[in-house]
Amino acid sequence: MVVSEGMGLRRVHEGRWVVSRAWIRELTGASSSTVERWYAQRGVQPEGRRHPEVVLTVGRTHYFDQQAVEAFWAAWQEEVGTGRLGAAGRKPGDGHGGYSADRSQRDQAVGVALAALREEGGPRRGLAARLAREHGGVVRSWQRAVAEARALYEAETTGTAPEGL
């Protein structure tokens, strides 16, 4: 017996409700890529927080046991504490690396990078990678901090105010 509901989001298979990834996105508020990542990484997740296996495939649409999906989502919310994910669980920001919650950390990193620029007498290739190794974090974040610090350093050495400050 097949009972479809809303564009193939849900159906009955072997006497139980099964749901598609689109239904899971509606339930969780997660993006398509997040739902796909949960499924792809199910083998490395703890058993209680593991995305359910595919129960049925119709065409190219995979369906999962609805009760298992709801249990997975409840465990995820309890452990991760996100409620609805909104924008894939990412921190809010301006899209240019300016995260308000992390601004104090960014300012600290810019201070470290500025001190390194002063010590070395100016920009050097590989500075961001070196700072990432010495202080932790990812190179891309240090590249942003070094770029801000470089503007400050150049303003110090030329006696002009950096743009935007």
Side-chain angles (χ1 to χ4, degrees):
M1 175 176 153
V2 174
V3 177
S4 290
E5 206 179 79
M7 303 285 287
L9 299 180
R10 249 174 48 136
R11 63 190 310 135
V12 174
H13 174 70
E14 296 179 354
R16 61 184 174 165
W17 283 103
V18 293
V19 296
S20 67
R21 285 190 173 126
W23 188 91
I24 295 170
R25 288 193 314 267
E26 283 186 12
L27 172 70
T28 63
S31 67
S32 296
S33 60
T34 297
V35 173
E36 289 172 17
R37 185 176 62 248
W38 285 338
Y39 181 73
Q41 295 178 351
R42 67 192 175 284
V44 298
Q45 294 297 325
E47 193 167 327
R49 219 175 26 142
R50 191 171 295 158
H51 190 286
E53 293 290 335
V54 173
V55 173
L56 171 70
T57 301
V58 177
R60 293 177 48 190
T61 304
H62 296 300
Y63 289 90
F64 308 88
D65 181 86
Q66 181 176 336
Q67 287 182 335
V69 168
E70 289 171 343
F72 156 76
W73 181 236
W76 183 271
Q77 287 177 298
E78 187 174 306
E79 182 134 346
V80 178
T82 60
R84 285 182 62 90
L85 286 178
R90 294 186 179 131
K91 296 175 186 174
D94 62 6
H96 301 287
Y99 297 106
S100 58
D102 290 344
R103 191 62 218 186
S104 63
Q105 289 177 335
R106 168 63 74 64
D107 289 342
Q108 186 177 3
V110 170
V112 168
L114 184 56
L117 287 170
R118 288 176 182 147
E119 183 179 308
E120 295 183 11
R124 298 287 183 261
R125 186 177 180 95
L127 177 60
R130 189 190 68 164
L131 292 173
R133 282 191 308 273
E134 290 175 3
H135 299 280
V138 295
V139 173
R140 182 66 187 125
S141 294
W142 281 105
Q143 287 171 334
R144 291 184 191 114
V146 167
E148 283 187 44
R150 186 175 180 173
L152 294 170
Y153 178 80
E154 289 173 0
E156 281 179 2
T157 58
T158 61
T160 61
E163 194 175 305
L165 294 180

